[in-house]
Amino acid sequence: MPEEGKADILTPADRRRRQRSAILVFGLFLCIVLAALATTVLAVNNGRNYKRLVRQFALEQYLLPAPPPPPLRIDKPRSLPPAEHYPPWLLNAGLERSAVFEKIEAPSAEDRCELLRDDRGTVPTFTRSGDGWECLFFETFGNAPEPAALFIQARGTERDIVSSFRIKVSLTDLTTELAVLSKAIGATERFGLPMTPETRSYLIEKLAGRTEFSSIVENYRMTFGREITDARRYNLLILPRRQMASCGEHPSPPPDRWTTPIYRMPVGCLALRSPPPQPSAS
């Protein structure tokens, strides 16, 4: 029988193949329609929706063009008007705090140690050894089984010159913490360590808050922190930084001058005014 006369009979495999082809063609057509619709929605109003979508996913650096650089305009230099055209308050230089420096006689180390004596009669101990000296002061607070304590040690390697000032507080009694810290803060002033009000306020803030720090302030290197063996005990160490050059002399280079940065700056010498003589009591 010739093949032209055969009936067109489809097998199940042929039917499934035609169905997959139809689904593929329809899916491709649907994707083209959706892509065209999305492109139209994102491109309207100069691409406002597209930019909003890119910013939503933080992809501005990759999907948006870089903004153009601002226009650069170089104007000709103009001469400034005379000083009388400016208000006086703008020309006058002002200081945060005015100060007068006066030359005073520094008290001896023994006298400074004696100033640590408190109202309860606790007496400091002062000893000399050659040109060196040491001042010790110890005081307890409260009646607890392990009372809070304040220990002060000041030393000098030369006569009447402080080389180190150490304060150790033991905050073992919660009821006396405020008294111990207040006594420790006042000891730096009673002993006569010269500090500006800003430095003293900084020190008071750190000690009152029991905040550990290590700073170089004015002519002092200060370190405050807890003891490793007992977190209830704190140590404050103040090391005065000695002047290395006199007025009119050039400072000698440090031993590690090859690794230490050196900043050169002009230093002036001021003639200090002596305090006026005190009237004698008649």
Side-chain angles (χ1 to χ4, degrees):
M1 184 177 182
E3 294 184 1
E4 294 85 2
K6 289 184 179 180
D8 189 8
I9 300 175
L10 297 176
T11 64
D14 295 334
R15 294 192 186 96
R16 288 194 297 270
R17 191 179 300 110
R18 288 188 177 184
Q19 289 176 358
R20 285 197 299 269
S21 299
I23 294 175
L24 181 61
V25 172
F26 177 76
L28 181 60
F29 175 75
L30 182 61
C31 291
I32 294 174
V33 172
L34 293 178
L37 181 61
T39 303
T40 304
V41 173
L42 295 176
V44 296
N45 296 329
N46 295 327
R48 182 180 61 182
N49 296 330
Y50 171 74
K51 297 177 181 178
R52 183 182 303 173
L53 180 64
V54 171
R55 294 190 180 97
Q56 182 71 22
F57 291 97
L59 298 174
E60 305 95 320
Q61 184 178 358
Y62 308 100
L63 300 180
L64 289 180
L72 180 61
R73 187 181 64 181
I74 301 178
D75 296 331
K76 295 182 179 180
R78 295 177 298 178
S79 60
L80 297 177
E84 56 266 14
H85 291 184
Y86 295 98
W89 60 267
L90 187 60
L91 299 177
N92 294 333
L95 297 175
E96 294 182 0
R97 187 185 70 252
S98 59
V100 177
F101 295 91
E102 294 184 350
K103 184 180 180 180
I104 59 175
E105 296 295 334
S108 64
E110 187 172 0
D111 293 339
R112 299 170 75 176
C113 183
E114 184 65 23
L115 294 176
L116 296 178
R117 180 195 298 264
D118 63 353
D119 299 335
R120 297 191 301 175
T122 306
V123 181
T125 303
F126 182 82
T127 57
R128 285 191 182 274
S129 176
D131 290 336
W133 56 270
E134 183 180 48
C135 174
L136 302 177
F137 179 82
F138 180 77
E139 183 178 2
T140 58
F141 298 80
N143 298 320
E146 189 178 1
L150 168 67
F151 174 72
I152 300 175
Q153 180 190 49
R155 287 181 174 178
T157 56
E158 298 181 17
R159 187 175 186 85
D160 301 334
I161 298 179
V162 182
S163 60
S164 66
F165 187 84
R166 182 188 300 273
I167 295 179
K168 179 177 180 179
V169 292
S170 299
L171 304 179
T172 54
D173 187 0
L174 298 178
T175 60
T176 60
E177 281 191 11
L178 183 59
V180 175
L181 292 175
S182 300
K183 201 65 171 291
I185 293 171
T188 59
E189 186 172 1
R190 293 198 312 274
F191 191 76
L193 293 178
M195 296 181 186
T196 62
E198 291 81 6
T199 300
R200 200 170 297 279
S201 299
Y202 173 79
L203 186 60
I204 291 174
E205 177 185 356
K206 297 299 183 181
L207 265 66
R210 295 189 289 279
T211 305
E212 298 185 7
F213 72 96
S214 180
S215 305
I216 296 179
V217 186
E218 294 185 31
N219 292 328
Y220 301 99
R221 180 185 293 274
M222 303 181 184
T223 304
F224 178 70
R226 295 183 179 183
E227 285 191 359
I228 300 177
T229 57
D230 194 340
R232 300 172 301 174
R233 292 178 169 84
Y234 294 81
N235 284 294
L236 170 66
L237 179 61
I238 302 177
L239 299 176
R241 304 176 67 195
R242 296 289 306 276
Q243 181 180 352
M244 303 303 297
S246 302
C247 184
E249 298 180 358
H250 296 284
S252 58
D256 54 347
R257 61 184 182 275
W258 302 114
T259 58
T260 302
I262 300 177
Y263 303 95
R264 301 185 181 277
M265 61 183 64
V267 177
C269 301
L270 301 178
L272 300 180
R273 185 179 62 187
S274 301
Q278 298 294 334
S280 58
S282 56

